[in-house]
Amino acid sequence: MTRLISEGRSTLNYPDRGATARRPLPAGYNITHHRTRIGHGRAVLDAAAIAVTTFRAHRDSGMLVTAGPAPVRQGDRVVVGMGFGPLRIDAPCEVIWAVYEPRRTGFAYGTLSGHPARGEESFEVEMEADGSVWFEVNAFSRPERWYARLGGPALPFLQQAYARRLGRYVRQIATGARPARYWKGWTGSRRPDTGWGG
């Protein structure tokens, strides 16, 4: 299910806005970094970029994502849901930056008030000079809510495991030679610089 999330005043719950676009990541957080080789060539890059910027990879991996129109852009609001029924946790985020370049596409979102954690996470696909395509996750976070703090030492392990899982889904989608459903019948690019269109 997708619905438009209002782009009201930002209520980020951490001070290091945009830090996933820089190195090193800020101190005082749990750091997650994972890089997965997706495949080779322009077709794989484009398919992976669509899977990431439409949240298809997130949804296919089991997350419930509520977002505005895709592809994602800076300022969009996103809610990522985990769990089921009364155990479901909604994690509100705001897209901090988005990049659409010929060899690199991705975005980062930061946590908003009400999120169980504080921090930021980026998802990027990039084609290197040799034509190899990579998916990369970088994140910094720390628990905010009591139940997240209760998880304590397990949280970095779970974040790393999820980054690996997401990488597998991006690879599967990008090399499966089938476009994401969202794009079927789509006739134009929201951004002229992506080169996507029908």
Side-chain angles (χ1 to χ4, degrees):
M1 178 172 116
T2 301
R3 65 178 171 84
L4 180 64
I5 307 253
S6 68
E7 296 182 19
R9 186 176 59 85
S10 179
T11 54
L12 293 173
N13 65 359
Y14 67 102
D16 302 293
R17 180 187 186 111
T20 51
R22 306 182 294 272
R23 298 292 181 276
L25 294 176
Y29 295 91
N30 297 315
I31 302 296
T32 300
H33 172 77
H34 182 70
R35 196 166 188 246
T36 303
R37 189 176 192 278
I38 300 303
H40 189 274
R42 171 62 55 184
V44 169
L45 175 69
D46 289 347
I50 291 169
V52 170
T53 60
T54 63
F55 294 103
R56 179 178 176 199
H58 286 75
R59 290 182 176 109
D60 283 6
S61 73
M63 292 295 183
L64 303 170
V65 180
T66 306
V72 70
R73 62 183 175 183
Q74 184 176 339
D76 284 353
R77 295 293 178 94
V78 178
V79 177
V80 180
M82 300 162 273
F84 299 95
L87 300 179
R88 179 174 164 166
I89 297 170
D90 285 331
C93 303
E94 179 181 322
V95 177
I96 302 302
W97 56 262
V99 61
Y100 293 86
E101 297 173 353
R103 300 175 72 91
R104 177 176 163 250
T105 299
F107 71 95
Y109 53 42
T111 58
L112 295 170
S113 297
H115 196 291
R118 290 176 178 252
E120 196 171 290
E121 190 167 19
S122 67
F123 311 92
E124 294 180 78
V125 291
E126 185 170 11
M127 185 165 65
E128 296 192 344
D130 65 358
S132 62
V133 179
W134 296 81
F135 170 69
E136 186 170 347
V137 176
N138 285 292
F140 61 92
S141 65
R142 59 178 174 241
E144 169 69 3
R145 302 284 183 160
W146 66 268
Y147 49 86
R149 288 194 294 270
L150 202 61
L155 287 179
F157 170 78
L158 294 172
Q159 287 176 318
Q160 188 71 27
Y162 182 68
R164 285 194 303 270
R165 177 179 173 85
L166 197 55
R168 286 193 302 272
Y169 277 90
V170 172
R171 184 190 309 119
Q172 182 180 46
I173 294 166
T175 59
R178 290 184 321 210
R181 278 189 205 160
Y182 174 85
W183 300 92
K184 187 172 185 178
W186 192 62
T187 58
S189 175
R190 178 169 165 182
R191 289 185 178 64
D193 58 338
T194 64
W196 300 334

